[in-house]
Amino acid sequence: MNATPCPCGSGHAYAACCGRWHAGPNHLQAPDAEVLMRSRYCAYVRDDLAYLRATWAPETCPADLAPNPPGLKWLGLEVRQHAQQDADHATVRFVARSKLGGRAHRLQETSRFERRNGRWLYVGGDLN
């Protein structure tokens, strides 16, 4: 098995962590909103736009989703809170750090997720 560390910061190998949601028999089957959010962060790191689109609610997915700009380096993810509102609704508050052109950036968001037809989807988020 590939021992490359998972970008989500779990400490597990990518293939045994977010990689299993990106491809293979468990593709798109993240068991909860936090796992989906971590796998989406990894998809951003890996420029996996197809996975991002597949896990984004169609009514809120942007038409102009673009790959990372040249030189962008993702530095890490910190999940601060995962809250389950009911069986099909949850929020995840996180901070994602990156660096571009020598400048550090922090994205702080509380993301909203819904489970539809058994699959968790990112619906939207509020920047903190």
Side-chain angles (χ1 to χ4, degrees):
M1 183 185 295
N2 187 340
T4 302
C6 192
C8 83
S10 67
H12 300 292
Y14 168 74
C17 192
C18 294
R20 62 185 158 166
W21 316 120
H22 290 177
N26 294 318
H27 183 237
L28 303 176
Q29 298 302 313
D32 63 42
E34 181 180 347
V35 171
L36 179 63
M37 198 282 311
R38 288 180 175 280
S39 72
R40 286 177 52 81
Y41 171 82
C42 288
Y44 276 106
V45 171
R46 300 168 61 84
D47 254 342
D48 187 345
L49 300 182
Y51 184 81
L52 291 170
R53 285 192 179 286
T55 57
W56 208 314
E59 68 276 12
T60 59
C61 185
D64 61 348
L65 191 58
N68 291 322
L72 178 69
K73 178 165 177 57
W74 290 97
L75 301 175
L77 172 69
E78 179 188 347
V79 174
R80 295 200 169 160
Q81 182 182 40
H82 171 218
Q84 193 81 29
Q85 283 70 48
D86 60 36
D88 295 322
H89 297 87
T91 57
V92 178
R93 188 167 50 93
F94 70 91
V95 176
R97 296 180 336 276
S98 63
K99 190 171 189 176
L100 179 62
R103 296 194 58 180
H105 302 275
R106 290 170 55 96
L107 171 67
Q108 298 182 74
E109 182 177 296
T110 300
S111 298
R112 294 181 308 281
F113 296 87
E114 284 184 21
R115 184 170 25 204
R116 299 179 186 172
N117 299 316
R119 283 186 39 222
W120 283 99
L121 296 174
Y122 171 77
V123 177
D126 300 313
L127 298 177
N128 301 329

